[in-house]
Each structure stands twice: as structure tokens, then as C-alpha cells.
């Protein structure tokens, strides 16, 4: 028995809804995992800051001269900047991971939607008297899919570029910059 166009559309819609629900559950799990990583990162940083603050107060209480105080201040700035870059790198890693998962889900969704729509259009084309509108719709969907794939590729390149820049910035901050000597003493 041959299915009607309406039955094909209903079946495709049911399959699409089931697949979409599965993707949303997967995406929600990934979002929860990323939020957990971010919370752990923030907790570790908070704990580190409190521990360092206690140590800094202890050092301040034991300083005996202004020179000691100035040396403590300059070393603290370097460690804070280093910690900031480490945090930024970890945050970039988490967000890039989440972006990759979101793009992957969008690619899968677009591919399956395109496939289902193509199947429905293909099934409807066989039953329709004038296939031209269906063919035009199919071409339009193919063009939209191509544009989306190009957008995804560009987004991935931007994310990779951001990660590379963050790594270069972090590695540049690790090496101490040469400072000009102060002629006034």
C-alpha cells in the first residue's frame, strides 16, 4: 500500500520531534556539564584568592621596611595577572567546548531536517501533478544548508583563532618582559 503525502508528512514530523527531543536532552546534559566545570573553576579560584589573601596579610604583618612592602606588592601583581590569564584560558576552553557542542547539535538538526524535508518533498513530488514548486523548494533547502555549513566552518575558525590568541597571550605573560633600567635612583 502506498502512503499518501499527508501520511509521509505526519511520519516525518513525528520522527523529527523524537529526534529533536533526544538532541535537547543531550544538549541540556552538556550545558549542565559546562556549568559544573565553570562552578568548579570559580570555586577553585575563590579558594585560591582567600588562601593567598590570608598569606598576604601574614606577610604584611611581618614586613619591617618600605622596600619589603614594595617587593611584596610587585610580586602580587605578577601572580594576580598570571592567575587572571589562567582563568581566562580555562574559561575560553569551557566556552569553546560548549560552542562546539552547540554547533554540532545545530549541524545534526539541520542535516536531519534537510533530509526529512527532502524525503517529504521527494514523496510529494511523485504524487503531485506539477513538480516544479517542490523542486524549487528542494533547491532552496539545499542552498540554505550550504550557507549554514559555511557559517559553521567560519565559526569554528573564529573559535580556533580565539584559542590560539589566548594561548599566545598566556605564554607571553609567563615570560617576564625586559624593563628599561631606571636612570634616576
Amino acid at each position: 500500500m502506498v502512503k499518501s503525502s499527508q501520511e509521509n508528512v505526519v511520519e516525518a514530523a513525528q520522527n523529527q520531534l523524537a529526534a529533536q527531543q533526544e538532541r535537547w536532552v543531550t544538549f541540556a546534559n552538556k550545558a549542565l556539564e559546562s556549568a559544573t566545570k565553570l562552578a568548579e573553576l570559580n570555586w577553585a579560584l575563590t579558594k585560591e584568592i582567600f588562601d593567598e589573601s590570608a598569606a598576604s596579610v601574614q606577610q604584611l604583618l611581618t614586613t619591617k621596611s618600605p622596600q619589603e612592602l614594595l617587593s611584596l606588592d610587585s610580586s602580587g601583581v605578577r601572580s594576580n595577572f598570571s592567575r587572571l590569564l589562567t582563568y581566562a584560558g580555562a574559561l575560553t576552553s569551557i566556552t569553546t567546548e560548549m560552542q562546539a557542542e552547540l554547533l554540532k547539535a545545530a549541524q545534526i538538526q539541520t542535516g536531519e531536517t534537510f533530509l526529512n524535508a527532502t524525503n517529504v518533498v521527494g514523496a510529494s513530488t511523485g504524487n503531485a501533478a506539477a513538480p516544479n514548486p517542490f523542486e524549487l523548494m528542494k533547491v532552496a533547502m539545499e542552498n540554505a544548508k550550504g550557507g549554514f555549513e559555511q557559517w559553521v566552518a567560519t565559526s569554528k575558525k573564529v573559535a580556533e583563532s580565539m584559542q590560539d590568541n589566548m594561548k599566545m597571550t598566556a605564554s607571553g605573560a609567563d615570560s617576564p618582559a625586559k624593563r628599561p633600567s631606571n636612570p634616576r635612583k
Side-chain angles (χ1 to χ4, degrees):
M1 182 172 144
V2 176
K3 289 184 180 179
S4 70
S5 295
Q6 186 177 10
E7 290 172 339
N8 286 336
V9 170
V10 169
E11 185 179 329
Q14 287 174 340
N15 291 340
Q16 183 67 22
L17 285 174
Q20 193 171 20
Q21 181 182 9
E22 184 179 326
R23 278 189 298 280
W24 276 110
V25 167
T26 302
F27 180 71
N29 287 337
K30 186 63 179 174
L32 185 59
E33 180 184 324
S34 293
T36 302
K37 286 181 182 178
L38 184 60
E40 289 171 354
L41 176 67
N42 287 335
W43 175 253
L45 181 66
T46 302
K47 184 179 177 198
E48 186 179 325
I49 287 172
F50 279 126
D51 291 345
E52 189 173 299
S53 294
S56 294
V57 168
Q58 195 68 297
Q59 285 179 336
L60 284 174
L61 293 175
T62 60
T63 56
K64 296 177 182 164
S65 69
Q67 288 84 7
E68 287 181 40
L69 184 63
L70 290 175
S71 69
L72 289 176
D73 187 41
S74 65
S75 67
V77 169
R78 276 190 226 116
S79 70
N80 286 342
F81 186 69
S82 177
R83 183 177 30 243
L84 174 68
L85 288 176
T86 302
Y87 178 82
L91 184 62
T92 300
S93 175
I94 291 170
T95 55
T96 303
E97 216 176 271
M98 187 63 189
Q99 179 191 22
E101 189 66 30
L102 181 61
L103 285 174
K104 180 181 168 187
Q107 281 178 311
I108 291 170
Q109 171 92 20
T110 303
E112 287 180 4
T113 301
F114 174 75
L115 182 64
N116 287 339
T118 303
N119 289 340
V120 169
V121 169
S124 299
T125 302
N127 296 334
N132 287 337
F134 291 109
E135 289 299 319
L136 289 174
M137 200 163 76
K138 185 175 178 180
V139 168
M141 285 186 290
E142 288 173 353
N143 290 340
K145 182 181 178 199
F148 178 75
E149 287 173 353
Q150 186 176 10
W151 177 79
V152 167
T154 303
S155 296
K156 284 181 181 178
K157 287 179 184 175
V158 167
E160 289 170 3
S161 175
M162 282 177 43
Q163 276 188 320
D164 291 344
N165 286 340
M166 186 58 69
K167 287 177 186 174
M168 287 177 19
T169 302
S171 66
D174 289 342
S175 62
K178 293 185 179 178
R179 295 187 179 110
S181 61
N182 190 357
R184 295 179 287 162
K185 289 190 179 182

